[in-house]
Amino acid sequence: MNDSFRAAAERSAAIEARIATDPGSLRMLTGDRPTGALHIGHYFGSIQNRLKLQSEGVEIIQLIADYQVITDREVGGDIRGNVHQLLLDYLASGLDPERATIFTHSAVPALNQLLLPFLSLVSVAELQRNPTVKEEAATAGITSINGLMLTYPVHQAADILFCKANVVPVGKDQLPHIEQTRVVARRFNERYGATFPEPGALLSEVTNLLGTDGTKMSKSKGNVIELRMSADETARKIKGAKTDSDRKITYDPDGRPEVANLLKLAAMCEDGDPATIADEIGDGGGGALKGRVTEAVNTYFAPLRARRTELAADASIVDEILVGGNQRANEIADTTLAEVREKMGMSYP
Ligand code: TRP
């Protein structure tokens, strides 16, 4: 564990404590890329966490990072359609547009304009060192990093600072971007006077839930159960899941990772314990295990899916929420940009 990780972990714990004692003092910004519909890994990994924070009274600003889609791919795909699906997933999950601001960053010009002063505060060498950018480029299989991708950490700083968010729930992989955001805030404040809070990461617990083939979940591998799938589609996905030939079901994450993964999934949906579920299935084999998992997943997600179907029937609901969210994000961004210009001596009659 290096020093910067330890410091981030301590800040995260402090935020955790503050959520319990003073949730009203926190403004949280979270971001997702609109590259497809959400799956159960997203749900148990992060959505559930956001819902908990929402119910505890933390203000939530939910960003859909549409510009990020063009950082590591030449073809963005159906971004508009993906944004729509993502919104349906958020709403069906229980994100409440009365309390949460949901917006796309491309629709907020003043947010993007913050990039100009922010870019002047970071060095090219600093950007070239960012491990997350390098890793994302490697994952995407690209050898030449475009300018937007190189500067993306600064764009992410604008995403976070435009609304002066002080908490950002992320996985470990995003820590370099949060650190960059803190640096941008600090340097801006030093140069132009106190303006931005230095936000902290709220480190989320990883669920380490794997895909149905026992490898890391990834839409392109077809090993994910999407929130929007029907009960039948879910059953088919689980039926095709990898298990082993041992009929006696045991919970052994190291020795039998695929079986353990299915047990974990059932346990999450039933709010139970994987080892107990294994005992209950006993000698039933893979078939009984899959039956149990299918039942658990379909039961758990039935209300969410019913809400989603209802919402999807009227496209105007989702559109209206986005219009409202983008309007509010623009108001916040305009206020911040006006203050930034004032501080920089660039505010004119
Ligand atoms: N970079 C994040 C990801 O790839 C998404 C994101 C964009 C984000 N802007 C953000 C996350 C601001 C937190 C805060 O998942």
Side-chain angles (χ1 to χ4, degrees), residues 29 31-33 63 65 68 136 152 156 159-160 168 170 174:
L29 180 119
D32 292 315
R33 334 172 177 199
L63 156 76
Q68 195 184 343
E136 284 176 358
Y152 199 76
Q156 189 149 329
D159 289 341
I160 296 167
V168 188
V170 284
Q174 293 288 312

Side-chain angles (χ1 to χ4, degrees), residues 58-134:
V58 174
E59 180 183 0
I60 293 183
I61 308 206
Q62 177 65 58
L63 156 76
I64 301 178
D66 49 359
Y67 271 139
Q68 195 184 343
V69 178
I70 56 168
T71 57
D72 60 2
R73 59 193 85 202
E74 278 164 22
V75 188
D78 179 13
I79 294 184
R80 201 190 157 108
N82 287 340
V83 167
H84 191 86
Q85 294 301 320
L86 199 52
L87 262 149
L88 283 172
D89 285 331
Y90 289 156
L91 299 174
S93 300
L95 211 59
D96 176 4
E98 299 280 320
R99 284 184 285 174
T101 301
I102 309 174
F103 76 105
T104 49
H105 60 185
S106 71
V108 186
L111 180 160
N112 293 292
Q113 203 173 324
L114 290 174
L115 270 172
L116 296 171
F118 287 1
L119 281 170
S120 75
L121 298 169
V122 301
S123 73
V124 171
E126 199 173 359
L127 291 170
Q128 283 167 334
R129 272 197 304 270
N130 187 298
T132 303
V133 170
K134 287 193 215 164

Side-chain angles (χ1 to χ4, degrees), residues 201-220:
L202 179 62
L203 288 165
S204 42
E205 291 268 335
V206 268
T207 62
N208 55 43
L209 209 54
L210 299 169
T212 50
D213 59 355
T215 72
K216 191 171 178 297
M217 279 196 216
S218 153
K219 198 179 153 71
S220 58

